[in-house]
Amino acid sequence: MSGTLRPDDAEQPGPPVEGTAAEGTAAEEPPAQEPPAEESPAEEPAAGAAPAPARRRQRRVAAALIAVLTLLLGFAIAVQVRNTDTGEALAATREEDLVGILDSLDAREAQLRQQIADQRAALRELNDTDSRSAAALEDAGERADALAVLNGTVAAEGPGLVMTIRDPQGQVRVADLLDAVQELRGAGAETMQIDGVRVGVSTAVTGEPGGLRVDGRPVTAPYEVVVIGSPQDLQTAMSIPGGVVDRVGRQGGSVDIEQRDRVVVDALRPLDEPQYAQPQTGD
């Protein structure tokens, strides 16, 4: 009786089989619902597409920083190794060799100091040369201006006097005007003009009383002479006994002299070019 199967016992394995089939059926059902579940992964790239470029830029910057730091580290290591090698090499060098190295460094330092001194001396020489050139140029300019005033090629101003020679009877002669010019020059006149004609080294007074000419230009009484120089010295030279004032008075004329702090001699004369004389160029 123990080995006989009961109907109840034969039917007991049934539920597990049914459960397995049910599980298989339940397992097979999800594929029918897979399309809706796959839609959400398809939407994820759209949401994550925006930060992708930013991540790539961050990677590039990080890579660049790593490269720079690597180079700096390599350079620092190389310098340290070089210093270590140099120190070790010097430590292993004999005393005689160290003395020789020190002497070489001292000689090199002395050579560099000498080069610096030479350069400074050359700079000072250039500055001195420029100063001398500037001084020479200034002196030449001053000489040119002085010669231009004396030659009558530029206008001039300064203290002086205005002398008016009156000749109502037309008796003032060429010699009277020439004496006036010479005595004014002797008294220190630097430049002058007569009736608007500049008086120069080669000025000539010609003509007859009442019809005088200065450098070929006619002048008429009263003759106005504008002179630059010491006013007091010029007036004294004109007023000495037997001088210009006395001679003009004997011709029936008169001389009025007015000292001024500033007079202008603005009549110009062309520059006389020498026909024969040339500057001396050598011995």
Side-chain angles (χ1 to χ4, degrees):
M1 186 169 182
S2 59
T4 305
L5 293 174
R6 291 180 299 176
D8 294 337
D9 295 334
E11 293 174 358
Q12 285 178 357
V17 173
E18 290 177 358
T20 305
E23 288 177 359
T25 307
E28 293 175 358
E29 289 177 357
Q33 296 177 358
E34 284 180 359
E38 292 176 354
E39 291 178 357
S40 57
E43 294 175 358
E44 289 181 357
R55 286 197 298 270
R56 286 196 295 269
R57 285 194 296 270
Q58 291 176 358
R59 293 193 189 98
R60 294 194 189 98
V61 173
L65 290 176
I66 292 171
V68 172
L69 292 175
T70 303
L71 289 175
L72 292 177
L73 180 61
F75 177 76
I77 293 173
V79 172
Q80 184 64 30
V81 170
R82 181 178 179 182
N83 292 337
T84 303
D85 293 343
T86 302
E88 293 176 354
L90 291 177
T93 305
R94 295 180 305 172
E95 182 177 355
E96 294 80 0
D97 296 334
L98 291 175
V99 172
I101 293 173
L102 183 60
D103 292 340
S104 299
L105 292 176
D106 291 340
R108 179 58 178 167
E109 181 182 3
Q111 183 180 4
L112 292 175
R113 289 181 180 277
Q114 184 61 41
Q115 291 179 358
I116 293 173
D118 294 341
Q119 294 297 326
R120 288 178 177 174
L123 180 60
R124 285 195 300 269
E125 184 178 357
L126 288 175
N127 291 333
D128 294 341
T129 301
D130 293 341
S131 300
R132 289 194 297 269
S133 299
L137 183 60
E138 183 179 0
D139 183 64
E142 292 176 355
R143 289 177 179 271
D145 292 339
L147 290 174
V149 170
L150 295 177
N151 290 331
T153 57
V154 297
E157 64 178 5
L161 55 81
V162 176
M163 182 173 63
T164 303
I165 301 175
R166 305 184 185 279
D167 184 20
Q169 300 180 9
Q171 298 297 318
V172 175
R173 302 164 301 172
V174 169
D176 298 329
L177 276 184
L178 284 177
D179 288 344
V181 170
Q182 295 300 331
E183 290 182 11
L184 288 170
R185 283 176 172 169
E190 295 177 353
T191 187
M192 70 184 81
Q193 65 186 33
I194 301 174
D195 277 4
V197 181
R198 189 70 169 265
V199 177
V201 177
S202 59
T203 294
V205 180
T206 58
E208 299 294 333
L212 300 180
R213 292 176 176 272
V214 178
D215 285 340
R217 293 178 55 181
V219 293
T220 58
Y223 309 111
E224 183 183 66
V225 183
V226 182
V227 192
I228 294 178
S230 171
Q232 185 62 44
D233 294 344
L234 296 175
Q235 183 168 4
T236 300
M238 293 294 99
S239 302
I240 60 176
V244 173
V245 174
D246 285 348
R247 289 196 295 273
V248 171
R250 287 196 297 268
Q251 302 297 333
S254 63
V255 178
D256 298 331
I257 299 176
E258 179 184 358
Q259 297 185 21
R260 297 183 183 179
D261 294 333
R262 178 180 178 273
V263 297
V264 177
V265 177
D266 54 5
L268 304 180
R269 62 184 295 113
L271 181 63
D272 296 331
E273 295 183 2
Q275 184 177 358
Y276 303 104
Q278 298 293 333
Q280 183 178 5
T281 59
D283 295 337

